[in-house]
Amino acid sequence: MNKNIQLNIHKNWLKAWSLSRKLPLPVKYKSGWMVDVGYKNQKKRYVFPELNDDFIQLSETIDEPWIYLKVCASPDELRDKLSEKWVIQPQGYMMSCFKQMSFPKGSLPNKYKFEFESYNSTFVVRIVTNDGELASIGRVVLVDDLAIYDRISTEANHRRNGLATFLMNELEKIALTNNIHNNFLVATEDGKYFYQTLGWELYSPYTSVVIPD
């Protein structure tokens, strides 16, 4: 076991992923977890906190496309352990911020406003124009003492306006209001650098593999 990966964090992050998407909650599968996603291009996902025999043995039994295997490991660690049927996806990064984030001073430009929604322990914040056009959106899911940030995005024609920073600030306010100070997310390569500017740190590499059609 990679001692850096705490099982409760790993479990709660995946539970939040499911709650945010209104999917069935994860069920235990050996040393990992499985979510019955049910999408055309993602039927199931198996997630493991480390690269181990459970992960390798499962990869050898699956031939069906669009079942994702995910693990807290780098792509280089996987390359010589999987058969050629598996396609490694772009690198992801589990990130943590177990303190209050650092935000630059500023206010949301006048042409934008916030909208809020909540469901399933999930809080959605949208930044929209005064005409109602969606500019940026994100979610924070509260599970036990962990705030999990999910699906943070800004529309292409509204980038370079600092909207993601304002969005993250509003999401963190929701967590703090609920007395939750431990923050967690999975970032892309580009997203990693943005979150680092707010005080986030790399928790673990995170790699996905799938058999496409």
Side-chain angles (χ1 to χ4, degrees):
M1 167 65 66
N2 182 344
K3 292 184 174 59
N4 292 326
I5 306 301
Q6 297 181 31
L7 289 180
N8 64 316
I9 290 179
H10 182 256
K11 175 185 176 182
N12 285 344
W13 166 74
L14 189 56
K15 180 179 179 180
W17 187 92
S18 298
L19 287 170
S20 174
R21 291 160 179 77
K22 301 179 181 179
L23 293 173
L25 295 181
V27 296
K28 198 79 175 73
Y29 177 84
K30 296 186 177 180
S31 60
W33 301 88
M34 185 277 290
V35 176
D36 191 0
V37 180
Y39 298 161
K40 181 179 179 181
N41 61 351
Q42 184 175 178
K43 298 172 183 176
K44 294 182 181 180
R45 61 165 43 197
Y46 292 86
V47 186
F48 293 84
E50 66 174 350
L51 182 58
N52 57 20
D53 288 343
D54 292 343
F55 181 94
I56 300 303
Q57 290 169 7
L58 178 60
S59 74
E60 293 169 351
T61 66
I62 295 175
D63 294 307
E64 186 179 354
W66 304 118
I67 295 176
Y68 279 80
L69 306 187
K70 297 168 176 280
V71 63
C72 296
S74 69
D76 288 342
E77 294 176 81
L78 293 177
R79 293 190 197 282
D80 62 350
K81 294 181 173 63
L82 298 176
S83 70
E84 293 182 356
K85 64 185 177 182
W86 292 100
V87 176
I88 297 176
Q89 303 301 291
Q91 172 76 74
Y93 302 91
M94 285 189 164
M95 302 188 71
S96 62
C97 185
F98 298 145
K99 59 184 179 182
Q100 199 161 337
M101 292 182 233
S102 301
F103 294 103
K105 292 182 179 180
S107 57
L108 189 68
N110 290 334
K111 68 177 181 178
Y112 297 108
K113 61 183 179 180
F114 291 110
E115 292 183 349
F116 300 89
E117 176 192 357
S118 64
Y119 61 90
N120 287 353
S121 303
T122 302
F123 297 83
V124 184
V125 176
R126 296 181 183 87
I127 299 177
V128 299
T129 67
N130 292 327
D131 295 329
E133 179 186 351
L134 178 65
S136 189
I137 187 171
R139 299 154 183 84
V140 62
V141 190
L142 307 182
V143 180
D144 294 341
D145 65 344
L146 201 63
I148 297 95
Y149 296 73
D150 186 45
R151 289 184 284 171
I152 312 296
S153 65
T154 300
E155 298 299 314
N157 58 325
H158 292 281
R159 292 174 185 166
R160 307 298 179 187
N161 291 319
L163 298 187
T165 299
F166 292 115
L167 184 76
M168 290 295 290
N169 195 355
E170 288 300 311
L171 291 170
E172 185 189 46
K173 289 177 184 177
I174 294 169
L176 293 175
T177 298
N178 286 273
N179 199 32
I180 295 178
H181 301 266
N182 298 321
N183 305 299
F184 202 80
L185 57 76
V186 171
T188 61
E189 186 76 41
D190 290 339
K192 179 183 71 167
Y193 295 103
F194 164 67
Y195 296 119
Q196 286 174 331
T197 68
L198 303 182
W200 290 71
E201 298 178 348
L202 177 64
Y203 188 82
S204 169
Y206 181 65
T207 302
S208 303
V209 299
V210 68
I211 303 171
D213 285 330

